[in-house]
Amino acid sequence: MNLRRTAEFVGIGATGMLAVLMLAFVGLEWLRGYGIAGGLYDQFIFFGMWMDVYLGTNVFSHGFMWRSIATAVFIGIVAPLVGTYLVHREMALIGETLAHTAFAGVAFGLLFSATTGWDGSLLTVALVVGVLGALGVQWLTARTNTYGDVPIAIMLTGSFAVGTLLISYGRGLSGVNIEEYLFGSASYVTTGGSQLMAVLSLLIVSVVALTYKQLLFITFDEQAARVARLNVTWYNTLLIVMTAVVVVGAMQILGVILVAAMLVIPVAAASQVAHSFKETLILSVLFGQLSVLGGYAIAINQGLPPGGSIVVAAIVIYLVAIFGSSRSVSALSTH
């Protein structure tokens, strides 16, 4: 057990160091036009050139690839972090729903851009629409007498229907291109997109750290939380809004179709081998990072899209966790 905890501690430490390194890159790229930041950024790229020479690749000397990897690293942390609460609340489908809602936002932004010449951030539009969709799901769930997953299914199909109608309407207009948003792309990640993901990731990690006990309480016993006068509606809304934020950020790499995978698969793998909720949280983040790094290794080596490669890597880790688990059902502690 001590060896296991040591391995988890080392893994979390390495993940933290990697995240700090990627945050540093994003910050240097943002400030590269100001004094010493530009020199440090050039040194970062120079180091990437040496990595390419040593590894025989043509990847790490390009700023857009570091930007993409940084965004994926952030996703590998925050998606399992939020997904752990969703999976244990049997709300795994919500990620797919909000991805389709964000797709409608992108479709609206693309159509608006094509018809008016607006050149603002489509990611920001998707974020706003995704958050509004999250609030809409929460509102429907609180005010209908149907089963819990019915409002989610309605929002999932409805938002995707709106998105397809907007795309079909704007098909003949120049500038309407949705494929990269559907399937994700390493080259799609913009400077603004990586910066936004960095800021949102810091925000999500901070919120989860500050509200860990409250979110844990409503996850395992919502009725008791209400009796204890905890504002359950507020924390439910907070969780679903964080989910929308993660989905929009992850859509850059994974695309609408695959984005929900990183909310669910690392958590499912962690649940097979963890002995407590806290350990599930830790292991899901570690498995998320292994999925990201393994997926990018596959993508770079074989010239494949990173999104699909990351999800396949996550599934392999999940299967290994199943075969490596000593029990068929997890007896999960809330400690």
Side-chain angles (χ1 to χ4, degrees):
M1 182 62 71
N2 289 335
L3 180 61
R4 177 185 177 120
R5 290 183 177 177
T6 299
E8 291 173 1
F9 179 79
V10 171
I12 286 296
T15 299
M17 290 175 63
L18 180 61
V20 169
L21 180 64
M22 294 299 99
L23 283 170
F25 172 80
V26 172
L28 289 174
E29 187 177 41
W30 180 31
L31 301 171
R32 60 186 298 191
Y34 301 93
I36 193 174
L40 291 174
Y41 176 84
D42 292 338
Q43 289 298 315
F44 204 107
I45 298 300
F46 183 73
F47 175 73
M49 293 172 62
W50 277 105
M51 287 183 64
D52 279 337
V53 171
Y54 180 76
L55 297 173
T57 59
N58 184 26
V59 173
F60 300 104
S61 58
H62 302 289
F64 77 89
M65 280 303 302
W66 280 110
R67 190 187 310 137
S68 174
I69 293 170
T71 303
V73 167
F74 301 147
I75 293 167
I77 294 173
V78 296
L81 195 63
V82 174
T84 301
Y85 292 99
L86 297 178
V87 169
H88 286 91
R89 299 195 67 187
E90 299 182 355
M91 293 175 61
L93 189 61
I94 193 66
E96 192 72 27
T97 300
L98 296 178
H100 286 76
T101 304
F103 168 76
V106 169
F108 173 78
L110 285 169
L111 180 61
F112 185 76
S113 176
T115 54
T116 65
W118 176 73
D119 61 351
S121 171
L122 293 174
L123 198 62
T124 302
V125 177
L127 181 61
V128 171
V129 174
V131 170
L132 291 175
L135 296 175
V137 169
Q138 184 70 12
W139 184 85
L140 285 174
T141 302
R143 287 166 174 77
T144 59
N145 294 322
T146 55
Y147 292 103
D149 58 348
V150 171
I152 294 176
I154 292 173
M155 184 64 73
L156 188 155
T157 54
S159 57
F160 197 73
V162 171
T164 54
L165 289 175
L166 291 173
I167 292 300
S168 298
Y169 178 76
R171 182 67 67 182
L173 300 175
S174 61
V176 177
N177 182 8
I178 202 68
E179 283 75 13
E180 289 185 339
Y181 296 91
L182 284 173
F183 303 108
S185 171
S187 59
Y188 161 67
V189 182
T190 63
T191 302
S194 64
Q195 292 168 2
L196 181 63
M197 191 64 208
V199 172
L200 293 176
S201 297
L202 286 172
L203 184 62
I204 288 173
V205 170
S206 299
V207 169
V208 171
L210 291 172
T211 62
Y212 172 79
K213 292 182 179 179
Q214 293 88 338
L215 292 175
L216 179 64
F217 201 177
I218 66 171
T219 295
F220 285 95
D221 199 336
E222 187 171 306
Q223 289 301 322
R226 293 184 186 277
V227 172
R229 298 184 181 276
L230 194 67
N231 192 339
V232 173
T233 300
W234 160 250
Y235 287 106
N236 282 335
T237 303
L238 179 65
L239 179 61
I240 201 170
V241 168
M242 286 196 296
T243 305
V245 169
V246 170
V247 163
V248 172
M251 190 171 63
Q252 300 176 86
I253 301 293
L254 299 172
V256 169
I257 295 175
L258 298 175
V259 69
M262 283 301 288
L263 288 165
V264 176
I265 300 175
V267 182
S271 298
Q272 289 295 320
V273 295
H275 297 96
S276 68
F277 181 83
K278 184 179 291 185
E279 191 175 21
T280 303
L281 204 63
I282 293 171
L283 289 176
S284 66
V285 172
L286 294 182
F287 290 160
Q289 281 307 300
L290 288 175
S291 302
V292 166
L293 298 178
Y296 260 89
I298 295 170
I300 291 169
N301 185 262
Q302 300 296 322
L304 298 172
S309 302
I310 290 170
V311 173
V312 168
I315 292 174
V316 170
I317 292 171
Y318 173 58
L319 294 176
V320 171
I322 290 176
F323 288 117
S325 176
S326 60
R327 60 186 186 279
S328 58
V329 180
S330 296
L332 196 66
S333 166
T334 59
H335 299 295

